[in-house]
Amino acid sequence: MNESRRKKILARGRPGPFWPAEPLLGGWYTEEEVEAATKAIRDSMDPTTVGFGFICPEILEFEEEFAKYCGAAEAISINGAGTGLDMAMMCLDLEPGDEVIVPAINFRAAAMAVIGQRGQVVWSEVDARTFNMDPADVERRITPRTRAIFPVHMNGLSADMDALQEIAESNPHPQHGPLKVIGDAARAGAGGYKGTKIGAKGWMTVFSFHTMKLMTTLGEGGAVTTDDLEIARRLRGIRQFGSAHDGWGTNYKITKVQAAVGLVQLRRLDDMTGQRVKAAKLRDELLQGIPELTLPYEPPGYEHTYYLYTMLVPRAWAGAKRDRLMQIMNEEHGVGCGVYNRAVYADSSFLREQTAGQELPDSDELSARLFCMALHPLMTEEENEYTAAALWDAVERVRCEA
């Protein structure tokens, strides 16, 4: 994008609404979702024989289709990804002092799930190009107390599951055998990895259907995929008061109406994601040539969904200059920018206390350099061009201020 074109775009002003860095509706709705929800409600009106049901046909069909989509043997629908992360940790039967390795650049949910089940979080560094768990660093942090490796498929890009699985199998726990690899795919449904979909590899994978995510079931919801049939049975028991496995359980179910809407969203997921990827690739082209920016990276054999469009400023701009760049974008150009995410312990005093003494210098540096800029499949090409022109301008201004 040359300077003359950028100036013309900015002179016209912002062409649409303010897009936050993380838009509030990721998988948007059509009349088909509205009709599916309405039908599910109308079909539930008989109080003697129907109602809204418990594990009803809509839920079973949604689970079957979601498992098929991911290439997994089983999918268990639940009321949210946080619930799924908790359930995954429950299935480890952690004892006090047992360790779970979690990437430090992350949202706090995964670490909270470990601590909630009496485990000890061990932070790992991430790869600076992918923002995903660094397998080499994970291997250095394994001890005889390690029970699981807990990668996050960060901001739409799969973690290196093959490398992590190999490490897990090569470093067995002295009592429990091979370590478990549990994926957090809250931000990465529909992503691809070496010819598979995210959700096909690992002991379990947890998905979110929250309002911001790539598909959504009326604002909340989630699922866990697995090939372990016994674990699937246990997860279903935990979800429904222990009935499937004669153990502890409670109510973590999704609803009939959510499942009906989820079936439509799932059918549309590849199209919605394709539009998101198209917008991201156009932006890549528009931002090429800015020396201060490292653009998102997609390794060969991976399929990035660009849930968030994540970039890095140079080391010399870490902290204050990065923040100044985002300030110009947010306040002067009306383009949402934010940091998703800093190292978890930087934003949570509770998690900082729980992991005191652990040092993650690479994660600390990345926390001061990364930022995300608004991206959504429904952004018009004109809006996308404006966001790029605005970022060119903001970078040039920070460069001059420096």
Side-chain angles (χ1 to χ4, degrees):
M1 183 184 285
N2 61 43
E3 184 177 1
S4 174
R5 183 182 174 194
R6 297 196 303 268
K7 286 183 177 179
K8 287 180 181 178
I9 290 170
L10 292 177
R12 293 196 294 262
R14 193 179 70 205
F18 173 81
W19 284 96
E22 192 174 8
L24 296 177
L25 183 63
W28 70 98
Y29 280 21
T30 64
E31 283 304 308
E32 190 177 0
E33 283 91 346
V34 174
E35 290 171 6
T38 303
K39 182 179 185 303
I41 294 169
R42 286 179 174 148
D43 288 349
S44 303
M45 299 310 291
D46 185 339
T48 63
T49 60
V50 184
F52 283 95
F54 296 92
I55 305 300
C56 56
E58 289 84 352
I59 290 175
L60 294 174
E61 183 183 358
F62 177 62
E63 292 178 341
E64 180 181 353
E65 292 300 318
F66 193 75
K68 188 185 304 181
Y69 178 86
C70 295
E74 297 279 349
I76 299 88
S77 61
I78 47 176
N79 59 15
T83 297
L85 300 175
D86 289 340
M87 293 165 73
M89 291 299 103
M90 290 175 195
C91 290
L92 286 173
D93 296 314
L94 296 174
E95 298 290 339
D98 283 352
E99 298 171 351
V100 178
I101 303 176
V102 180
I105 298 291
N106 202 342
F107 182 64
R108 61 183 175 272
M112 289 291 191
V114 176
I115 292 169
Q117 295 302 311
R118 303 185 298 175
Q120 173 62 54
V121 171
V122 174
W123 300 120
S124 80
E125 300 280 23
V126 301
D127 181 284
R129 297 184 76 188
T130 66
F131 306 104
N132 277 318
M133 184 176 254
D134 178 2
D137 188 71
V138 168
E139 192 155 28
R140 288 191 289 268
R141 297 178 189 275
I142 290 174
T143 75
R145 287 186 169 275
T146 305
R147 292 290 314 282
I149 301 170
F150 205 174
V152 174
H153 303 294
M154 193 62 172
N155 291 352
L157 181 67
S158 176
D160 190 346
M161 294 298 286
D162 287 347
L164 295 173
Q165 191 64 49
E166 183 177 342
I167 291 168
E169 293 171 0
S170 300
N171 296 271
H173 185 275
Q175 179 183 350
H176 298 281
L179 307 182
K180 303 300 186 184
V181 180
I182 300 166
D184 177 349
R187 297 177 177 178
Y193 174 74
K194 298 182 179 180
T196 69
K197 285 288 189 185
I198 291 174
K201 291 179 179 283
W203 191 45
M204 293 185 225
T205 305
V206 180
F207 294 85
S208 174
F209 307 138
H210 177 264
T211 183
M212 292 178 168
K213 300 306 187 288
L214 295 158
M215 61 172 278
T216 178
T217 51
L218 297 174
E220 290 289 356
V224 183
T225 59
T226 183
D227 287 340
D228 188 324
L229 301 186
E230 179 56 32
I231 285 300
R233 190 174 74 89
R234 183 171 180 184
L235 289 168
R236 289 192 170 95
I238 293 171
R239 175 183 69 177
Q240 176 62 13
F241 300 107
S243 59
H245 71 121
D246 194 28
W248 181 89
T250 186
N251 182 6
Y252 288 151
K253 296 188 301 297
I254 201 171
T255 69
K256 174 193 283 191
V257 180
Q258 286 179 288
V261 169
L263 280 164
V264 180
Q265 284 272 287
L266 183 58
R267 286 196 293 271
R268 296 183 51 237
L269 180 56
D270 284 344
D271 179 61
M272 292 190 291
T273 304
Q275 291 187 53
R276 184 183 292 272
V277 171
K278 182 180 178 181
K281 297 298 186 183
L282 171 62
R283 180 171 295 172
D284 287 346
E285 295 175 9
L286 295 169
L287 295 177
Q288 283 295 328
I290 304 179
E292 291 87 353
L293 294 183
T294 301
L295 302 183
Y297 175 61
E298 183 180 58
Y302 291 62
E303 295 175 19
H304 204 318
T305 67
Y306 300 93
Y307 172 73
L308 291 170
Y309 192 86
T310 312
M311 295 172 280
L312 286 173
V313 299
R315 289 183 175 86
W317 285 22
K321 290 185 177 63
R322 187 272 312 272
D323 294 347
R324 172 62 177 150
L325 180 70
M326 292 194 299
Q327 180 187 28
I328 293 171
M329 292 294 289
N330 282 304
E331 297 178 4
E332 299 187 34
H333 289 305
V335 176
C337 288
V339 179
Y340 303 106
N341 292 90
R342 297 198 300 169
V344 187
Y345 48 78
D347 290 324
S348 169
S349 59
F350 172 74
L351 290 174
R352 189 161 55 249
E353 292 166 1
Q354 295 290 321
T355 57
Q358 298 188 42
E359 296 183 1
L360 285 296
D362 294 344
S363 294
D364 292 339
E365 182 193 67
L366 285 174
S367 295
R369 294 174 58 203
L370 72 85
F371 73 105
C372 302
M373 184 168 71
L375 179 75
H376 194 275
L378 294 183
M379 264 189 175
T380 66
E381 189 169 318
E382 187 181 16
E383 288 173 314
N384 207 356
E385 288 179 340
Y386 177 81
T387 65
L391 188 56
W392 273 91
D393 177 72
V395 168
E396 289 177 349
R397 288 175 57 182
V398 173
R399 185 191 299 149
C400 291
E401 291 173 2

